[in-house]
Amino acid sequence: MSDAVAETVELMLFEVAGVRYGVDLGQVASVTSPDPSLECARPLGQPLGTRRAIAFSPEPGILRHLAVDRVLGVKTVPLLSLRRLPAAAAAPPPTIGAWLDGEQAVLLVDLLTIPPNPETAHGP
């Protein structure tokens, strides 16, 4: 193929508390419906409304969930349009970069860096 074909990544876009985020689709195991018994991490903030959960596996045999308000879909994005956040940028810890989707900023998240939910990580 020619050099004109840019490398791309598929991003799953979602919202938490009115902020748009994206994650590499390869990190997503599934998207589940709201379930009160589901243990969900909330490192990006408390979802505002009907929440969904993005399931991911940070290591074999471990399945964790990230609470989100809604999933917006998947977009194929050129790698060259993604930007790493500078260390001085104020963003939640799993946030690693940004992408400009038209006029809308999308913060990029690395699911594999999200620690277990501290509320459920220890026994009763």
Side-chain angles (χ1 to χ4, degrees), residues 14 17 19 23 25-26 35 44-45 49 54 57 68-70 72 88-89 96-97 102 104 107 117 123-124:
F14 59 94
V19 179
V23 63
L25 185 61
D35 180 349
L44 304 174
I54 296 174
S57 182
V68 304
D69 285 311
R70 65 186 181 136
L72 303 171
I96 58 170
Q104 180 73 43
L107 295 176
N117 184 355

Side-chain angles (χ1 to χ4, degrees), residues 42-112:
R42 293 175 180 80
L44 304 174
Q46 180 68 35
L48 300 175
T50 304
R51 72 182 173 95
R52 307 279 293 179
I54 296 174
F56 62 99
S57 182
E59 54 187 89
I62 303 293
L63 190 63
R64 293 197 185 129
H65 297 87
L66 173 67
V68 304
D69 285 311
R70 65 186 181 136
V71 174
L72 303 171
V74 175
K75 284 205 176 183
T76 301
V77 177
L79 284 174
L80 293 175
S81 67
L82 306 180
R83 298 290 179 259
R84 283 215 172 268
L85 287 181
T95 305
I96 58 170
W99 167 58
L100 198 56
D101 182 11
E103 296 284 319
Q104 180 73 43
V106 176
L107 295 176
L108 305 175
V109 174
D110 182 0
L111 292 177
L112 305 182

